Amino acid sequence: MNCSSCALTISKYLEKKGVEDVAISVATEELRFNLPEGASADEVINGINNLGYEVVLPNQGGKTKPFYTTLRFKFLFSLVFTAPLMLHMVADWHWLHNPWVQLALTIPVYATGMLHFGRSALRSLRNGIANMDVLITLGATAAFVYSLIGTLQHLGPDYLFYETTAAILTLVFLGNLLEEKSVKSTTTAIAELARLQHTHAKRLNDAGEVEEVDNSELRTGDRVLVNTGDKIPMDGTIYWGGGHVNESMITGESEPVNRREKDKVIGGTILEEGSIKIFITATGKDTVLSYIINLVKQAQSNKPPMQKLADRISAIFVPVVLGIALLTFLGWYFIGQTPLSTAMMRSIAVLVIACPCAMGLATPAAVMVGLGRAARNGILIKGAHTLEAFRNIRQIVFDKTGTLTTGKLQIGRWETAMEPDEFRSVVFSLEKYSSHPIARSIVALWKGVGETALQQVREQKGVGMQAKDKAGNEWQLGSYLMARGATGDDSHNIYLLKNGELMGWIDFIDELRPEAQQVMAQLKQAGIRTILLSGDMRRKCEQLAQQLGIDEVYAEQSPAQKLQQIEDLMQQAPTAMVGDGINDAPALAKASIGISLSDATQVAMQSANVILLNGHLSALPLAMGLGKHTYLTIKQNLFWAFAYNVVAIPVAALGFLNPILAALVMGLSDVVLAINSVRLRFKKVI
């Protein structure tokens, strides 16, 4: 695909076929869609091929285009013949004024243009969709045929516009080439991530010997050696050694992280120091990196609401322009009493200067850059609609444990009426079945204390764990909500009950995230209302809220109550929620935007609209800033696209532009949009 007009042509064709969920990207030249039941995939693919495109399926791999089929070759080839034609306008060389010489120089350019633009125009018309190439083809053909008739009938120099034909096609080739390069530059972030997927690996065979292989040959369960400076070839788990891993290309986190035995590592990251051996746990499309790339690509090809208006206008744009061009010709020839050649040139200028591509490119270009910059900074945003939704957010709800605090809890005081070792064993055995940050901390701190055989273990979300032992005793471990029937003291974090009787309690020390204070200050400065929504005790929640300057507190909330609170808050204003992506999944899904600070796991990625891969709150203002500035860039692009056509078409129709200048201006119009979009990569958004 060469431009957004191509994407619109394919989209309209698929819609006519009843295809659903069409997602298409000009920059990455990728298309995704769902076939309706009973539809033939081969028929749809053949239909796309008949439009003039070549469908390459994922398992076929990309083909390298021959150079003679590229826009670069077509532009250079056309330029060789167009340059002498343009020269005759300034040089008084007799042979250049010979109509047959001009015809000979024009034919190669016209033939190249018709093979490119003409074929595309015919196929689009055959499918009932007029694309931009229809305008280019009509404009160039009108000038060529008019000149050819003048040559064959010896009508004189007033009928020779060969240079107009050649210049239109050459300049449009140049414009398409510049647009292609500009649009490709909006996807550099994804290209950089994709390059991380390809590397070599030191695979260990059964004898422990090292063999160098391409990472695409690795399979789940393979053992791999990674030394200092090596790229980790695929996702895996360390079973020997340790070191510092640079994960900045995945998470945006600049500081290397320490990884030891049993820790997970992500394919594509770099071991900066140390030596490790890993078991491969995921390959190919199942790796975290592949998942990230696919998420971003899908997001880039999804259309935000603002694009729908531009698409509707683009669909009727070409017929309207054809009508304006016809009226221009008739008006100047019959009413303005101008010569036939003048009327024709002015109508051709209208055809050539009109640019539906600009309207189609306005949104995707900005979205690609916004999502790409977010991905480079460890922010995964699912869908362009999510990026656009950030502009409306007026309040943000925060979970407490693992969100405003690190979730890396240290056990403080604890007391028990049981034997200490038995108490710790029962607590460990219950908590190992829970995914809550408190449970994960206990399991990490008390592993090795021994286990108690438990049965019928189940988790009551937001309350605690329940189980029975072999003797039939019922154990409960959880918050005060679970223990309030056994004690009136609500000052502890978790309580252990045996058959309804209090057996002990544990207090934790939870470290506040170092960036939390600054993030709250930034949000307050931006006029965002902050809310704490937690299952923890009211006293602790209010203490934390006072420390951070949070506006409102809802404490001791179960997951069901959290969901209800989010629903109530959303009736007041669009609301984002920041949580751990697992325990808060219902509330995250309900919020206008759900934001997860979880580690890069499939569960976390599927539970929220936005994932902060580095687990740092500091990325939240950047995500919001990118959303707002991407929307601003889209508005600027759409304003330029509409303003350009609204101004340029009448200017051409009134005779102030010749077709050659019109072709040059049209070619540069899309480049302006791409350059404005690329600014988003460097723009200060916070």
Side-chain angles (χ1 to χ4, degrees):
M1 294 182 290
N2 297 313
C3 70
S4 52
S5 183
C6 300
L8 188 61
T9 300
I10 295 170
S11 295
K12 292 295 180 185
Y13 166 76
L14 292 174
E15 286 170 13
K16 283 169 64 178
K17 289 291 184 182
V19 172
E20 301 168 344
D21 302 326
V22 177
I24 188 167
S25 169
V26 177
T28 60
E29 295 183 308
E30 290 185 339
L31 170 66
R32 292 181 179 84
F33 56 84
N34 291 326
L35 280 173
E37 193 173 342
S40 166
D42 290 339
E43 183 184 340
V44 172
I45 289 171
N46 289 335
I48 297 171
N49 285 330
N50 290 334
L51 286 174
Y53 308 98
E54 181 184 5
V55 176
V56 180
L57 298 176
N59 57 356
Q60 294 176 334
K63 297 178 183 178
T64 304
K65 292 183 191 175
F67 179 63
Y68 64 83
T69 66
T70 63
L71 281 171
R72 183 181 178 84
F73 172 82
K74 291 172 183 176
F75 164 66
L76 292 174
F77 178 80
S78 300
L79 184 63
V80 168
F81 296 95
T82 302
L85 276 169
M86 300 302 294
L87 191 62
H88 96 276
M89 298 173 69
V90 292
D92 191 22
W93 296 346
H94 179 72
W95 65 275
L96 278 178
H97 294 271
N98 187 311
W100 297 102
V101 171
Q102 291 184 18
L103 174 61
L105 289 170
T106 304
I107 286 174
V109 182
Y110 182 71
T112 303
M114 290 307 101
L115 286 172
H116 184 87
F117 301 112
R119 285 169 63 186
S120 171
L122 285 173
R123 283 168 174 156
S124 74
L125 290 172
R126 196 165 60 204
N127 286 278
I129 307 157
N131 63 11
M132 190 193 79
D133 293 338
V134 172
L135 303 179
I136 303 302
T137 301
L138 283 176
T141 300
F144 180 75
V145 171
Y146 184 83
S147 303
L148 183 61
I149 291 171
T151 301
L152 294 174
Q153 296 189 5
H154 307 289
L155 298 177
D158 289 342
Y159 281 79
L160 299 183
F161 293 98
Y162 288 118
E163 74 282 352
T164 300
T165 304
I168 287 172
L169 295 171
T170 303
L171 289 172
V172 175
F173 274 132
L174 174 62
N176 283 2
L177 180 62
L178 292 174
E179 179 188 351
E180 182 182 69
K181 289 183 177 296
S182 301
V183 172
K184 295 294 182 192
S185 70
T186 65
T187 61
T188 53
I190 300 306
E192 288 166 8
L193 285 174
R195 280 196 292 271
L196 295 175
Q197 291 183 299
H198 305 292
T199 187
H200 291 283
K202 298 182 178 79
R203 185 167 61 189
L204 298 167
N205 59 25
D206 293 337
E209 298 169 338
V210 175
E211 53 180 350
E212 189 101 3
V213 297
D214 191 89
N215 68 334
S216 61
E217 297 178 31
L218 294 176
R219 298 293 177 264
T220 302
D222 282 352
R223 295 174 300 152
V224 174
L225 171 67
V226 185
N227 294 322
T228 299
D230 288 348
K231 189 184 291 183
I232 295 170
M234 290 285 178
D235 293 2
T237 301
I238 300 173
Y239 70 87
W240 176 89
H244 290 87
V245 181
N246 183 344
E247 298 181 348
S248 61
M249 60 285 295
I250 305 292
T251 66
E253 178 59 49
S254 58
E255 289 295 321
V257 291
N258 188 32
R259 298 293 184 213
R260 301 183 296 274
E261 287 184 25
K262 296 186 179 178
D263 284 346
K264 296 182 184 299
V265 288
I266 303 171
T269 57
I270 297 170
L271 183 65
E272 290 200 340
E273 183 184 343
S275 183
I276 58 175
K277 293 178 183 177
I278 64 173
F279 283 118
I280 300 299
T281 57
T283 60
K285 62 182 177 57
D286 298 322
T287 62
V288 169
L289 181 57
S290 289
Y291 195 84
I292 291 170
I293 291 171
N294 285 332
L295 269 182
V296 178
K297 283 183 176 179
Q298 287 172 26
Q300 288 181 337
S301 57
N302 289 339
K303 292 180 182 178
M306 282 191 71
Q307 180 65 12
K308 293 175 182 176
L309 172 64
D311 283 352
R312 284 198 297 270
I313 293 174
S314 295
I316 61 169
F317 185 85
V318 172
V320 169
V321 171
L322 290 173
I324 294 172
L326 179 61
L327 289 174
T328 300
F329 175 79
L330 295 175
W332 281 107
Y333 187 65
F334 290 107
I335 300 172
Q337 300 292 310
T338 60
L340 178 65
S341 60
T342 302
M344 189 186 70
M345 285 299 109
R346 288 173 181 174
S347 65
I348 289 173
V350 170
L351 292 173
V352 172
I353 203 165
C355 188
C357 279
M359 288 178 284
L361 182 65
T363 300
V367 166
M368 286 171 195
V369 178
L371 291 172
R373 180 173 171 183
R376 281 205 321 274
N377 286 278
I379 304 167
L380 269 184
I381 300 175
K382 296 181 183 178
H385 61 282
T386 300
L387 195 65
E388 189 174 325
F390 267 118
R391 71 187 176 90
N392 296 318
I393 296 299
R394 295 293 175 267
Q395 49 193 12
I396 300 183
V397 176
F398 294 89
D399 180 39
K400 176 178 170 287
T401 305
T403 302
L404 294 176
T405 62
T406 61
K408 297 174 182 175
L409 302 172
Q410 297 298 318
I411 295 176
R413 291 179 60 239
W414 57 277
E415 285 186 10
T416 180
M418 304 163 55
E419 284 293 323
D421 287 346
E422 184 187 1
F423 175 76
R424 293 195 299 166
S425 174
V426 172
V427 171
F428 173 83
S429 300
L430 283 162
E431 292 291 59
K432 75 175 188 176
Y433 292 100
S434 174
S435 59
H436 194 277
I438 288 178
R440 293 201 297 264
S441 296
I442 290 176
V443 170
L445 293 166
W446 280 1
K447 62 184 176 183
V449 298
E451 292 190 40
T452 301
L454 297 174
Q455 302 167 345
Q456 301 176 27
V457 182
R458 64 185 185 275
E459 181 175 8
Q460 191 177 346
K461 289 289 184 184
V463 180
M465 304 296 297
Q466 294 176 301
K468 287 185 178 180
D469 61 20
K470 289 182 177 179
N473 295 307
E474 185 171 335
W475 294 93
Q476 293 175 290
L477 178 72
S479 67
Y480 180 68
L481 289 174
M482 184 174 276
R484 60 188 170 190
T487 178
D489 181 5
D490 66 352
S491 62
H492 305 296
N493 288 105
I494 60 173
Y495 302 79
L496 179 66
L497 285 76
K498 179 181 181 182
N499 300 322
E501 183 182 346
L502 183 65
M503 290 287 103
W505 49 261
I506 304 173
D507 281 340
F508 291 94
I509 303 166
D510 192 3
E511 183 185 12
L512 185 68
R513 286 186 179 272
E515 71 273 18
Q517 195 95 45
Q518 182 185 357
V519 169
M520 294 302 154
Q522 287 176 314
L523 293 175
K524 193 174 285 290
Q525 188 176 3
I528 303 293
R529 181 167 166 250
T530 52
I531 300 159
L532 177 60
L533 180 62
S534 174
D536 209 346
M537 291 180 293
R538 177 165 297 279
R539 178 174 52 81
K540 292 192 173 184
C541 290
E542 288 178 346
Q543 183 182 354
L544 180 67
Q546 188 174 6
Q547 185 180 352
L548 293 176
I550 292 175
D551 298 317
E552 196 168 344
V553 176
Y554 296 95
E556 300 173 3
Q557 301 286 302
S558 68
Q561 289 172 319
K562 286 185 176 183
L563 181 59
Q564 185 59 51
Q565 290 291 358
I566 290 293
E567 288 179 352
D568 294 343
L569 288 166
M570 285 178 62
Q571 289 180 2
Q572 302 171 21
T575 304
M577 179 174 179
V578 187
D580 65 10
I582 300 171
N583 296 320
D584 297 312
L588 285 169
K590 187 66 179 176
S592 305
I593 300 177
I595 303 168
S596 169
L597 272 79
S598 297
D599 293 334
T601 62
Q602 299 285 1
V603 175
M605 289 181 176
Q606 290 166 8
S607 63
N609 307 103
V610 179
I611 302 103
L612 308 182
L613 291 176
N614 60 15
H616 284 191
L617 270 178
S618 54
L620 179 58
L622 176 61
M624 295 196 66
L626 277 173
K628 290 178 180 178
H629 282 272
T630 300
Y631 179 76
L632 178 62
T633 304
I634 290 171
K635 287 208 302 185
Q636 291 169 346
N637 285 354
L638 284 172
F639 173 79
W640 163 255
F642 285 119
Y644 163 81
N645 284 294
V646 166
V647 172
I649 292 173
V651 166
L654 292 171
F656 295 110
L657 281 175
N658 66 53
I660 296 173
L661 185 57
L664 179 62
V665 172
M666 189 278 289
L668 294 175
S669 63
D670 291 344
V671 179
V672 171
L673 300 186
I675 291 172
N676 187 51
S677 299
V678 170
R679 283 176 55 239
L680 196 55
R681 288 172 58 187
F682 316 103
K683 191 177 182 183
K684 185 178 178 182
V685 297
I686 302 176

